[in-house]
Amino acid sequence: MKAAVVYSLEQGPVYADFAMPQAQSGQQIVQVSAAAISHVVKSRASGQHYSYDGTLPFIAGVDGTGVTRDGQRVWFAFPPSPWGSMAEFVPVAIDSCVALPDDLDDVTAAAMANPGMSAWAALVDRAGFRPGETVLINGATGSAGQLAVQIARHLGAKKIVATGRNMTVLNGLGADVAIALTADAAALEQQLAEQAAGRIDVVVDYLWGNVAQTLLTSLATHASGTEPIRYVQVGAQAGQDITLAGALLRASPIQLMGSGIGSLSFPRLVAATGAMLQAAAEGGFRIAHTTAPLSDVARAWPLDDSKHRTVFTVADNSL
C-alpha cells in the first residue's frame, strides 16, 4: 500500500510503499479517508515527542477517519508502531474507533479531532469544568485554541477570556474578553491582573513559556478567594520551561496539571474525542483547514501551520 513514510528523523515523511497491515487480535483494518497534521504528529515524525518509540521506518499520523470492513464511518486513533494514520489502510484496536456523526464529514472530523480532543479532555476530564464557570484560553488563535473557545461556550461557560498575538483572529472568536500578548509587559500584566481579580476558574494553556509564567504570577497574586483555579497545561508553543517561585503556589489556590497522552489513558482520550465530535455536529464547530492528497505529503508537510490544519485525503481503494 501507499503511505507517508518517515525514514529519517531529520526529514519529513515521503510518499512511498509500505507493507500492507494485518489485523491482530482485538484489531480491525480501517480504510483511511483523511488524516491531519498536528503538533503531536510533527513532533513524533522528528523523534521529539515523548511517545515516539524509536522505530524506523514508520508511517506518520496518530489518528484519522475512515471506513471499517462493515462499512461504518469512524474516527480512529493510536495505531500500533510502525503503523500510522497517513496510509491507505491502518490496523487499529477496535475500542480505539468511534462512530462518526452523520452530519460531520470525514475531512472536517479529521481536522478537528486532535485539537478538539486536547480541548475537551483538558476542560472536562482534567479540569472538571462546570457550566457557569469562567475559562481563560491561553493561546486561542491556533486551531486548538479556537476550538477550545467554541467548546467552552458549548459547555456553558459564563465568561471566556482569550489571549493571543493576532487580534483580528481573537476578535472573531466570540470570546468575552480578548487580550493581546503583543502588548508591552506592563499593559499585559495589568490586563491579566484585572481578569484574575474578577475570578477565573479554569485555564487551558497552549503556550507555556514566559507567557504562562506571567499568567501564573498574576493568578497567584491577584486572585481572590480560596476556590481552586484549575490550570491545565496542554501545549508549549511559547517555550518548554518556566521559572516559578514555589511560594506563589503555596500562597494561592492554583491547581497545576497537564493534559495529554500519559496524563489520560487512551480509552479516556478516545471517549473525549467521541464526545467532542458529537458536540461538533450538534454545535456546528468550525476549524480552518486545507486539504491535499496524501501523494503530495512531501510538498505539503513543511507548509503546514497551526492556524490552518492540513488534512491529507486518501484515494478510495476497496477493502
Side-chain angles (χ1 to χ4, degrees):
M1 68 172 182
K2 293 294 187 180
V5 184
V6 178
Y7 291 101
S8 168
L9 300 179
E10 286 71 42
Q11 299 176 350
V14 297
Y15 191 64
D17 291 315
F18 205 86
M20 183 74 178
Q22 301 296 318
Q24 304 301 311
S25 177
Q27 296 179 345
Q28 63 182 339
I29 299 296
V30 175
Q31 177 186 330
V32 181
S33 301
I37 299 178
S38 65
H39 292 304
V40 172
V41 170
K42 288 192 284 189
S43 183
R44 282 172 60 91
S46 63
Q48 297 177 1
H49 196 266
Y50 57 84
S51 65
Y52 171 59
D53 66 359
T55 300
L56 280 175
F58 66 94
I59 299 173
V62 298
D63 71 310
T65 58
V67 182
T68 64
R69 287 187 182 276
D70 60 6
Q72 184 179 46
R73 295 173 58 244
V74 297
W75 169 81
F76 64 87
F78 314 124
S81 176
W83 314 106
S85 59
M86 295 180 179
E88 292 179 309
F89 302 96
V90 63
V92 188
I94 294 172
D95 57 6
S96 291
C97 296
V98 172
L100 286 177
D102 292 338
D103 295 336
L104 193 62
D105 67 88
D106 290 357
V107 170
T108 302
M112 68 173 49
N114 185 274
M117 172 206 294
S118 75
W120 191 281
L123 283 165
V124 176
D125 293 86
R126 295 296 282 156
F129 171 82
R130 297 181 293 269
E133 292 189 315
T134 294
V135 178
L136 187 150
I137 309 298
N138 192 34
T141 57
S143 296
Q146 291 184 45
L147 270 175
V149 172
Q150 297 175 67
I151 289 170
R153 187 67 74 194
H154 178 80
L155 292 174
K158 176 183 177 181
K159 179 180 177 181
I160 300 174
V161 181
T163 75
R165 297 186 179 281
N166 188 323
M167 283 305 295
T168 301
V169 175
L170 277 179
N171 289 330
L173 292 178
D176 300 286
V177 178
I179 298 177
L181 297 178
T182 53
D184 65 77
L188 177 59
E189 290 173 6
Q190 180 179 354
Q191 292 181 78
L192 292 175
E194 290 174 357
Q195 297 305 316
R199 184 62 197 167
I200 291 173
D201 299 292
V202 175
V203 176
V204 178
D205 179 16
Y206 292 99
L207 299 181
W208 205 232
N210 290 335
V211 179
Q213 187 170 317
T214 300
L215 175 55
L216 281 163
T217 301
S218 292
L219 290 171
T221 304
H222 300 285
S224 58
T226 58
E227 285 298 312
I229 302 169
R230 291 100 75 198
Y231 193 109
V232 188
Q233 199 278 323
V234 182
Q237 294 304 298
Q240 294 292 331
D241 303 299
I242 68 171
T243 300
L244 187 67
L248 288 176
L249 295 179
R250 295 194 299 272
S252 67
I254 294 174
Q255 295 179 346
L256 186 59
M257 67 193 85
S259 183
I261 300 172
S263 59
L264 290 168
S265 68
F266 283 172
R268 288 184 69 183
L269 289 172
V270 170
T273 309
M276 184 280 301
L277 291 171
Q278 186 62 49
E282 297 169 355
F285 296 170
R286 302 182 307 277
I287 184 168
H289 61 275
T290 58
T291 60
L294 185 62
S295 58
D296 206 19
V297 61
R299 182 200 64 82
W301 186 271
L303 302 179
D304 176 73
D305 64 51
S306 63
K307 298 176 179 60
H308 288 81
R309 194 146 297 248
T310 302
V311 182
F312 292 114
T313 55
V314 184
D316 185 10
N317 291 316
S318 174
L319 282 168

